Amino acid sequence: MAHTEWKDAPGLPDFSLLKRLARDQLIFLLEQLPGKKDLFIDADLMSPLDRIANVTILKQHEVDKLYKVELKPIFVLMFTDLVNADKVAGRFRRYKIIFTPQKFYACETVLEEQGVYGDVTTDEWNFYILPLDDDILSLELPEFFRDNFLEGDQRWVTTAGSALRLLQSVYGSFSKVYGIGRCAKMVYESWRELMEDGEQRTRQPEFAKVFLVDRDVDFVTPLCSQVVYEGLVDDLFRIKCGSVEFGPDVTSSDKSIKVMLNSQDKVFSEIRNEHFSNVFGFLSQKAKNLQTAYDKRRGMDIQQMKAFVADELKGLKQEHRLLSLHIGASESMMKKKTKQDFQELLKTEHSLLEGFEIRECITYIEEHINRQVSMIDSLRLLCLLSITENGLLSKDYRSLKAQYLQSYGIEHLLTFANLRQLGLLEEQQAGETLTVMESKVGKLVNDKTVGKLTDAFSSLAKKSNFRALSKRLALVPKSGEEYDLRVPRDMAYVFSGAYIPLSCKLIEQVLERDGWTGMEEVTRMLNGQEFAVTEARSKTDAQRIVLVMFLGGCTFSEISALRFLGKERGCRFIVVTTAITNSSRLLEALLDNSA
């Protein structure tokens, strides 16, 4: 627990203003329909809306009834049916559709086709950014990843550009913008166009440097099991919009409890970035300290007791409640991970990252698939194997694919096509790895022996980009070196000292060099599309606050790694992401819709 103090780092901007702006605009839109009104809300908007304007605020502005609508793909059609039904019944009502974060032409076309265009008014709620914590901002667009990277639908590019414009208009100009990836470049260009069209403000910036990074620049990081506390909570309990629901196995009661996870939770704020192996020791010490604080009551006189009750007791009770929940969550995670043989899983992942014992890793993955341990986990391991090995040998690809489809269903065939399209799970093409020597050996020995030899020859014939990137950027610490997780020496601690997140390493290197100079080989292996643009000068403190925008999702492991980097360098990172992601969310987005 040695990395909890900041080294003379600057303070963070106050992002509560973004919430107020969003709430004020929503209230303005609601008041355009005076009197009592019913509100139909897209299910995906329920949690973000609750963070901006809760039920009490909505009731104050004459919202009578709230309806959650689950039928997202046909939301507008459902609404047009309602309008037409009212027409037939002779009921007169006023209708308004509020699109957020922006209105698309296709929606208005549907209204016109259904014959209700003249009966309905439409508007936009420009709700671009939701602050989840002091240093985490989210666009709450989980669909961004599939739409942009798989479908090639670029409609959200303007939304991301608008989010940057909002941040600049509220917190001042950016002095330097770095980025890598095709989408990052488009978002930058969209933001520049929006700035040229709008009015320019000259106020001093609160953060100056911005880094835009595409999710497909680094798929390895989100595919790895998370082992920092916040990441593990997200993997096992699913953090949604900054809060998590702990069930009876955590609360030790018959009730589930919804808990906000942010820096206001004094227990959580101290363990969120810690490797899970350190968490129990901290919680145990915290419990002892809390008991000591309670024990102070003994021997107090009346005045001292009154002061204790007025000043300390409420805080101690709240801390005790939170401590109990996090101890319960830790115990629940330990049970689940022990049941899943988590250490064996991590060992396999680390071997894949290091490029050792690949044949043993394939055997482990086959067992995982055939035992039907977890559909998503099996897919995750297959993708991790493919990316780290620059694709699978044909015989391995076909065998593993057949076993997967047999275990989990033939309907996942199209999922494999999606994964191949994104380069997540690929079959090596003929001639990529076979050497003349290996072909000759193949005639002399049986297939199983060739399989083992193939692993050795493939690295000689063609080095994968991940292996070359890993070596060039020192992403994987040398095996055999002791790594003290209690006193981390680099960002690799977020993966038990086995791997430094590629995305975070790129950010570190570019900021050190103030650009991409000297990283030409790295960018070439990442398919280029890198840029660094100087926009304006800024004050010194602003230079020490860096805004990092992940396009396609960001993991809590990456956020923890950037917090560590900030503490080491005396700067602060603010993460802006299209959504929080992890291996499950990323792969679920790529499952064929019919599966």
Side-chain angles (χ1 to χ4, degrees):
M1 307 287 289
H3 57 289
T4 53
E5 297 300 322
W6 292 91
K7 290 183 182 177
D8 189 31
L12 291 170
D14 177 13
F15 292 119
S16 62
L17 179 57
L18 296 174
K19 279 188 183 180
R20 291 199 298 273
L21 288 171
R23 182 169 60 241
D24 290 349
Q25 191 195 8
L26 178 62
I27 289 168
F28 172 76
L29 292 171
L30 291 174
E31 288 181 345
Q32 287 181 337
L33 285 177
K36 282 191 175 183
K37 51 192 132 317
D38 294 343
L39 197 57
F40 292 80
I41 306 170
D42 184 330
D44 288 346
L45 276 174
M46 292 296 283
S47 293
L49 182 64
D50 191 49
R51 295 286 300 264
I52 297 295
N54 56 31
V55 173
T56 305
I57 292 171
L58 295 176
K59 294 284 185 186
Q60 287 169 358
H61 295 278
E62 298 187 278
V63 171
D64 186 30
K65 293 173 185 172
L66 288 168
Y67 299 94
K68 181 167 79 170
V69 181
E70 301 280 1
L71 305 170
K72 187 171 182 179
I74 53 171
F75 188 101
V76 176
L77 280 175
M78 184 210 79
F79 194 79
T80 59
D81 288 346
L82 182 69
V83 175
N84 283 322
D86 281 353
K87 278 185 183 179
V88 172
R91 280 191 295 267
F92 173 76
R93 289 193 260 206
R94 294 175 67 190
Y95 309 96
K96 187 181 190 72
I97 301 180
I98 300 171
F99 295 95
T100 186
Q102 65 201 57
K103 180 168 59 178
F104 294 116
Y105 172 75
C107 295
E108 292 193 328
T109 303
V110 171
L111 296 177
E112 201 169 348
E113 288 172 351
Q114 298 298 313
V116 299
Y117 188 77
D119 305 296
V120 177
T121 57
T122 61
D123 221 321
E124 287 183 338
W125 179 30
N126 302 132
F127 169 39
Y128 294 121
I129 299 174
L130 176 68
L132 297 181
D133 208 345
D134 297 342
D135 60 352
I136 309 175
L137 308 175
S138 175
L139 277 65
E140 289 301 300
L141 288 175
E143 55 267 60
F144 188 107
F145 174 67
R146 181 182 174 112
D147 286 356
N148 187 82
F149 295 102
L150 182 68
E151 309 287 357
D153 184 344
Q154 295 161 8
R155 59 183 164 162
W156 301 119
V157 166
T158 307
T159 308
S162 298
L164 283 177
R165 183 192 181 190
L166 173 63
L167 288 168
Q168 181 164 9
S169 66
V170 176
Y171 300 103
S173 301
F174 310 140
S175 66
K176 194 115 185 193
V177 182
Y178 313 95
I180 184 163
R182 183 165 168 266
C183 184
K185 193 168 265 188
M186 288 192 292
V187 168
Y188 169 74
E189 288 165 358
S190 170
W191 164 70
R192 286 298 306 155
E193 284 175 19
L194 290 167
M195 291 310 298
E196 286 165 11
D197 293 343
E199 61 175 290
Q200 299 294 318
R201 298 193 181 186
T202 55
R203 59 163 291 174
Q204 278 290 330
E206 294 195 46
F207 39 77
K209 294 183 178 180
V210 179
F211 198 109
L212 309 176
V213 59
D214 283 10
R215 182 69 277 168
D216 66 354
V217 166
D218 173 18
F219 277 138
V220 170
T221 298
L223 289 173
C224 292
S225 294
Q226 301 194 83
V227 288
V228 290
Y229 182 74
E230 189 167 15
L232 257 177
V233 171
D234 188 41
D235 278 356
L236 294 177
F237 298 102
R238 290 273 176 134
I239 297 172
K240 186 176 182 182
C241 216
S243 67
V244 66
E245 189 166 306
F246 287 135
D249 59 324
V250 171
T251 62
S252 300
S253 68
D254 56 353
K255 293 180 182 178
S256 293
I257 297 176
K258 195 173 182 180
V259 182
M260 291 296 297
L261 295 177
N262 55 35
S263 55
Q264 301 304 307
D265 179 337
K266 299 304 179 193
V267 177
F268 176 70
S269 65
E270 291 191 64
I271 59 175
R272 67 191 310 178
N273 302 310
E274 293 297 329
H275 189 276
F276 189 63
S277 61
N278 298 331
V279 170
F280 265 118
F282 170 82
L283 293 176
S284 175
Q285 186 58 49
K286 194 82 174 171
K288 290 175 185 174
N289 295 346
L290 203 59
Q291 188 59 51
T292 303
Y294 271 121
D295 290 344
K296 284 199 309 184
R297 294 174 298 175
R298 294 172 185 169
M300 284 183 177
D301 59 30
I302 295 296
Q303 290 303 315
Q304 288 171 326
M305 183 62 79
K306 280 174 72 177
F308 175 78
V309 170
D311 301 334
E312 295 182 53
L313 189 58
K314 187 178 178 182
L316 289 173
K317 282 185 174 178
Q318 171 69 353
E319 201 169 331
H320 181 267
R321 185 184 77 87
L322 293 170
L323 185 61
S324 297
L325 283 172
H326 290 298
I327 289 172
S330 297
E331 288 174 340
S332 176
M333 288 191 283
M334 282 290 286
K335 285 176 189 171
K336 287 176 182 176
K337 289 304 180 187
T338 304
K339 189 178 179 183
Q340 293 172 4
D341 202 3
F342 193 47
Q343 291 307 315
E344 194 65 31
L345 180 68
L346 288 182
K347 182 186 170 188
T348 301
E349 287 182 27
H350 295 172
S351 293
L352 291 173
L353 292 167
E354 292 171 15
F356 293 150
E357 300 179 334
I358 299 303
R359 193 50 49 183
E360 285 79 357
C361 291
I362 290 174
T363 301
Y364 176 84
I365 295 169
E366 285 178 325
E367 289 174 3
H368 204 274
I369 292 169
N370 296 327
R371 285 166 49 215
Q372 298 181 329
V373 178
S374 159
M375 182 184 80
I376 290 292
D377 253 1
S378 295
L379 209 54
R380 178 175 70 82
L381 290 169
L382 285 174
C383 292
L384 199 56
L385 170 66
S386 176
I387 295 173
T388 54
E389 288 297 295
N390 198 34
L392 303 181
L393 297 169
S394 291
K395 68 181 185 64
D396 289 331
Y397 178 83
R398 290 167 191 171
S399 170
L400 289 164
K401 181 179 176 182
Q403 290 177 70
Y404 187 91
L405 295 174
Q406 190 172 8
S407 278
Y408 300 113
I410 196 71
E411 64 270 19
H412 293 288
L413 198 56
L414 287 175
T415 298
F416 276 80
N418 291 343
L419 295 170
R420 175 177 283 205
Q421 187 179 325
L422 279 182
L424 279 163
L425 184 52
E426 293 185 292
E427 179 182 2
Q428 289 176 355
Q429 298 306 306
E432 277 189 337
T433 57
L434 290 174
T435 65
V436 175
M437 189 189 302
E438 188 184 355
S439 298
K440 289 178 180 176
V441 170
K443 294 173 183 176
L444 301 174
V445 291
N446 64 39
D447 184 60
K448 191 173 182 182
T449 312
V450 171
K452 290 185 177 178
L453 288 167
T454 297
D455 296 332
F457 285 117
S458 63
S459 62
L460 293 172
K462 181 179 178 181
K463 289 188 176 181
S464 76
N465 283 356
F466 176 77
R467 292 275 172 261
L469 282 166
S470 178
K471 188 175 180 182
R472 181 83 179 175
L473 295 170
L475 299 179
V476 178
K478 292 176 183 176
S479 57
E481 287 185 6
E482 284 294 318
Y483 198 102
D484 189 350
L485 292 167
R486 290 168 299 179
V487 189
R489 60 174 181 260
D490 54 28
M491 292 184 284
Y493 91 92
V494 301
F495 291 117
S496 304
Y499 164 68
I500 297 172
L502 170 58
S503 55
C504 301
K505 189 69 174 182
L506 287 173
I507 292 164
E508 177 194 47
Q509 291 293 304
V510 171
L511 292 177
E512 267 185 17
R513 299 161 190 262
D514 194 24
W516 296 94
T517 305
M519 295 185 69
E520 291 79 8
E521 189 182 340
V522 168
T523 57
R524 179 181 56 77
M525 288 187 281
L526 292 169
N527 298 320
Q529 303 284 347
E530 77 283 359
F531 59 93
V533 185
T534 302
E535 297 286 338
R537 292 184 177 275
S538 65
K539 61 183 181 181
T540 309
D541 262 4
Q543 292 284 1
R544 295 165 65 208
I545 300 180
V546 183
L547 194 77
V548 180
M549 181 179 248
F550 285 87
L551 299 159
C554 172
T555 66
F556 283 116
S557 295
E558 287 166 310
I559 294 171
S560 291
L562 289 175
R563 285 177 181 145
F564 176 87
L565 181 62
K567 288 166 187 171
E568 292 294 295
R569 302 297 167 93
C571 64
R572 300 292 287 265
F573 287 95
I574 297 164
V575 170
V576 185
T577 179
T578 49
I580 294 294
T581 194
N582 58 20
S583 57
S584 296
R585 290 191 190 94
L586 186 133
L587 291 172
E588 283 164 8
L590 299 175
L591 292 175
D592 179 59
N593 291 329
S594 62

